[in-house]
Structure formats: structure tokens, C-alpha cells
Amino acid sequence: MNSIDDVVASIKAHKPQGRPAEMRAAFAALVGPQPAAEDVAIGPAGGLAVGSGPTLLWFHGGGFVFGAPETHVALARAIAAAGVRVVLPRYRLAPEHPWPAMLDDALAAIDAVPGPVMIGGDSAGGQLALCAARRRTVRGVAVLSPNTDRTGASRTRKPLSARDLMNDDAGDAALAREAFGDRPGDDPDVSPWRSDLSGIAALHIEVGTEEVLLGDSLLLAEAAVLAGVPTALHMTPGLFHLAALWPDAVPGAAAQLARLGAFARDAAG
């Protein structure tokens, strides 16, 4: 896509809704054609990789119901431009495979990389990275607009639902029910900002100011700082949820991904 107008038109034309298969097809159409990537054997089901340098495992978003490595290659390439190899592991999706199936797959992917590795993800993939980081030693965690709060503590989910082009509170909650069922909102996997974050070596958070999940990032950043985690939070004015899926078309999106890539490169030591 060549412009923000193209992106907005695609979002309006391909809203993920209906059955899971329909949502997956709509999301793939929404993001549009992706660049080529290398097939890699990692975790239970493999994945895709782009770039060269230290490895950053990046878990794709999509509410744990849709999305795939194939929908996130443009985003991954923009991160990789900072000098890292971005690997997009494939993980099982709900409702066919509810939580913790995707967490088990993420941990298997981390275990497949020798030594500590950087991990990250966008939206639900950022939530997945945060949950995995509590269970494995990693060099750093880089997240883009992560889901972190299902307790109702966030003050932006409902107010920004009418302004966020890609997300709204009701739809986000419906996806969470598919993945987590009746798990309570204060479960540390369901709301990672309430978990013990002290074992994270370093954390970088990117979010837009027009996002339903802006409050999720604010809660996460505060909790991480209070836990003693070196934390950076960057809020880009005007960006909607996952605008970075179109780094060449949405102003400000490429800069988000460049900062995430630089963090991952520097965290590698």
C-alpha cells in the first residue's frame, strides 16, 4: 500500500469478523501482499525470518485468533533494518487451541535458540512475549501495543474505541474470550501488567496515542518501573492500533519499528 488513504480503505473493506476462518482471511486481505521471507525450522511448526544479526523472536498479533507469520513480514523487515534477524514463529490459534497452547509454542521457539535471546511481539503477540519472559531468561523484551489489562484498570479502552481504526474494546474482549475462556481478568497471563515483571532484563514499549490499548501500555510501563526493570515507553501521537503493519504508508510507523529494532540490537550486547 502506498498511502495512509490506501490503508484506511483496506481497514474499512476487510474488518475481521465472523467465524475464525473468515477473520483470518479478512485479516490477510487487510494487511495486503507481503515481502518474501525465509522459511525456518523453529518451535513446533516453524516460521519465517528476515534480516541478519542477533535474533529477535517476534510473536505476531491477531488476538490469538487470526494473524500469522505471513501477515507480518513487512513489519518484521522494518524492525530487521536496524541490524537484527527477526524470526516469526508460528503458534497455534484459538478457539481451536485455547490458552496455553500458544504459550507452549512460544516457549518451544525460545528453547530452540541457543542461549538467551531477545523476544517481542505486537498486540496479543506482545502479551505472549511478556508471559513467556516470566518463564524463560531473555536478554530483553520489545513490545508494540501489547494487551496487558483485562481487569478494567485501563482508562483508554472504552474512550478510544470510537477513534482507533483497528481495534475496539468489545471486539478485543470477544477475542480474549476465545483464547482464555473463563480465566479471571486478574490472572497474570490474562493481564500481564499485574504479574511479577522483575525478572525482565530490559523492556521497550511502543504505542500510539489513538489506541484502545494505550492504557495497557501505560499500566505495563508503570508496573515494570516499580519492579526495577529498565523500561522505555514511546508514545507516537496520532497512531492507531498496529499502524506499523504498514510501515511504508503510515507516517510514524516506521520510526516505531526502527526503535524496537535498535533496542533489540543493543540488548544483544
Side-chain angles (χ1 to χ4, degrees):
M1 297 183 194
N2 298 318
S3 70
I4 181 64
D5 290 339
D6 292 337
V7 171
V8 172
S10 184
I11 292 171
K12 291 180 178 178
H14 303 291
K15 183 176 178 62
Q17 55 189 352
R19 297 178 179 178
E22 294 169 325
M23 286 192 280
R24 291 162 192 165
F27 186 73
L30 187 159
V31 299
Q34 296 289 295
E38 173 191 352
D39 287 310
V40 291
I42 188 167
L48 300 177
V50 293
S52 61
T55 297
L56 167 66
L57 293 185
W58 189 267
F59 302 108
H60 69 81
F64 297 128
V65 174
F66 50 84
E70 288 78 7
T71 61
H72 279 62
V73 179
L75 180 152
R77 281 188 62 178
I79 295 175
V84 294
R85 178 172 172 79
V86 181
V87 177
L88 298 158
R90 203 175 308 282
Y91 60 83
R92 287 170 289 175
L93 297 175
E96 297 92 336
H97 305 284
W99 190 271
M102 50 287 289
L103 176 62
D104 292 341
D105 293 348
L107 295 175
I110 294 171
D111 292 343
V113 180
V117 65
M118 287 79 63
I119 64 173
D122 56 277
S123 194
Q127 177 179 0
L128 184 55
L130 291 165
C131 293
R134 300 204 327 269
R135 296 167 166 90
R136 295 292 186 272
T137 299
V138 298
R139 294 189 182 277
V141 180
V143 290
L144 172 66
S145 309
N147 288 77
T148 73
D149 177 55
R150 304 286 182 189
T151 68
S154 169
R155 295 185 294 174
T156 66
R157 281 181 169 257
K158 291 183 179 178
L160 292 182
S161 286
R163 289 159 48 182
D164 190 336
L165 295 177
M166 279 282 286
N167 199 8
D168 63 77
D169 185 45
D172 195 74
L175 292 174
R177 287 192 294 271
E178 296 282 10
F180 293 106
D182 59 0
R183 283 176 178 255
D186 59 0
D187 183 305
D189 287 339
V190 179
S191 295
W193 79 273
R194 291 177 56 89
S195 65
D196 181 4
L197 303 170
S198 60
I200 296 177
L203 175 64
H204 186 103
I205 308 164
E206 292 282 339
V207 69
T209 61
E210 295 295 294
E211 295 199 44
V212 163
L213 298 186
L214 171 61
D216 287 49
S217 287
L218 297 174
L219 290 166
L220 173 64
E222 179 182 30
V225 168
L226 292 176
V229 178
T231 301
L233 168 66
H234 196 285
M235 296 176 285
T236 301
L239 281 192
F240 54 89
H241 188 57
L242 293 191
L245 287 168
W246 303 276
D248 296 331
V250 181
Q256 285 187 315
L257 301 177
R259 287 188 292 268
L260 289 164
F263 166 79
R265 179 197 65 218
D266 297 343

